[in-house]
Amino acid sequence: MRLLVLGGTKNLGRHVVEAALGDGHEVTLFNRGLTNPGLFAGVTELVGDRSAPEVLAGGEWDGVVDMSGFLIRDVRLSAAVLRDRVGHYTYMSSIAVYASKLMPGMTESAPLLDWPADAAEDEFTMDSYGPHKVRCEAELEAVFGSRTAAVRSGFVVGPYNPDFGNWGEALATGRPMECAARPDQPIQYVDARDLAAFLLRLTTEALPGPFNVVGPTRTMSDLADAWRSVVPDAAPVDWDPAADRFHLPHDGSNNGTFQLDNSKALAAGLTLRSAESSARDCVAWIKGGNTPPPPPH
């Protein structure tokens, strides 16, 4: 298939491109050309800004994977250009779309955030991140109907990705893993390679609708034990570090965010590797001379 990837040269995006090329798809990239230009030899790269996507008007693709749609203004512009030029539009959204942070077991039909009265369509802030994602999903559904899918994920781990990278570095260097979250904090994440494969599946099979793409819920202490198990004689976890790595409240007011129902994604073909496998690969990648990018949170 002919696939267009908006972004595609860092973090999760590079895994999407690698998976697509590995499956024999013809890939075109559209980004600003600032991060890892020329990363994928032989892949067509269209250089431009999300706020001016006119260069996309010169092509046609069977599907698009949007990894860089943060502002509703930008997603509206790309949707207008691509409406009649792509078959299926897969959008990388976020678990930040949900209105409740307390309710466990939320499915994709749970209430979403409202648009704040003071938010701007062309300005990104952390407070408006979730509302922007909500409106981007709605905009794409209005334009593409059943030809669009929205992938709602949270923490993404693995090579080239920032989340839990500090744990990988600690294990790779024999230092204690640090965690400022409480040990019984519920947590979910997904390995970048599993997420990339699912994004590609939705696009090539033209599967519609929103999906909670997260792993199973476990406590932070259980997850820490799983990561520590991949190296011999791992140091105990430091549960009270000087730097707050996760910014999760200790009062339980964010518990529901990491107890989402992922059954729809599993039924659609999402496969999840074990926490131990993700940790082992992260440690090996860091020992190979790599450094995780800083977390955006």
Side-chain angles (χ1 to χ4, degrees):
M1 294 180 66
R2 294 167 301 161
L3 300 179
L4 171 66
V5 178
L6 307 183
T9 58
K10 69 175 184 178
N11 298 3
L12 173 61
R14 65 188 295 162
H15 288 289
V16 172
V17 176
E18 288 173 357
L21 294 175
D23 287 348
H25 298 294
E26 178 184 327
V27 178
T28 299
L29 301 180
F30 172 68
N31 52 54
R32 294 176 298 171
L34 301 178
T35 303
N36 299 320
L39 177 64
F40 298 104
V43 171
T44 300
E45 296 185 67
L46 303 177
V47 178
D49 194 272
R50 290 296 303 247
S51 63
E54 291 80 7
V55 67
L56 298 176
E60 293 185 355
W61 298 272
D62 300 303
V64 55
V65 183
D66 187 348
M67 304 301 303
S68 60
F70 294 101
L71 301 178
I72 176 59
R73 176 204 63 184
D74 294 348
V75 170
R76 182 181 294 126
L77 289 170
S78 61
V81 173
L82 294 172
R83 180 183 60 191
D84 300 319
R85 296 186 174 278
V86 299
H88 191 268
Y89 197 119
T90 300
Y91 176 62
M92 189 64 218
S93 189
S94 170
I95 60 174
V97 298
Y98 292 112
S100 174
K101 296 182 182 298
L102 284 170
M103 185 187 309
M106 286 187 289
T107 68
E108 291 80 359
S109 61
L112 306 180
L113 290 168
D114 293 325
W115 183 253
D118 59 348
E121 292 190 344
D122 60 351
E123 181 180 342
F124 173 80
T125 66
M126 286 307 299
D127 287 340
S128 66
Y129 174 72
H132 268 289
K133 290 293 189 179
V134 172
R135 289 195 62 186
C136 288
E137 287 188 20
E139 179 73 20
L140 292 171
E141 186 174 1
V143 173
F144 293 94
S146 62
R147 293 190 294 131
T148 188
V151 170
R152 299 169 180 170
S153 290
F155 289 120
V156 179
V157 307
Y160 305 108
N161 284 264
D163 295 328
F164 293 86
N166 64 307
W167 281 11
E169 288 182 306
L171 292 173
T173 57
R175 295 181 288 107
M177 290 164 33
E178 294 183 349
C179 185
R182 69 185 199 276
D184 65 342
Q185 165 73 47
I187 194 69
Q188 288 173 301
Y189 69 53
V190 63
D191 190 286
R193 294 159 295 181
D194 298 332
L195 178 52
F198 190 69
L199 284 160
L200 194 59
R201 174 187 285 269
L202 294 179
T203 310
T204 57
E205 297 185 9
L207 300 179
F211 292 88
N212 291 333
V213 185
V214 293
T217 297
R218 57 201 310 171
T219 66
M220 193 68 83
S221 61
D222 286 343
L223 183 60
D225 287 343
W227 276 61
R228 291 176 62 247
S229 72
V230 305
V231 299
D233 301 319
V237 178
D238 178 3
W239 292 103
D240 190 26
D244 185 343
R245 295 281 187 170
F246 288 99
H247 306 285
L248 297 179
H250 281 219
D251 60 3
S253 60
N254 205 14
N255 283 359
T257 302
F258 303 103
Q259 297 185 72
L260 299 178
D261 184 333
N262 66 355
S263 58
K264 182 181 177 184
L266 292 173
L270 172 66
T271 59
L272 299 166
R273 68 196 68 202
S274 68
E276 290 83 358
S277 177
S278 294
R280 190 175 296 109
D281 291 347
C282 182
V283 171
W285 179 73
I286 292 169
K287 285 186 174 181
N290 300 287
T291 301
H297 309 288

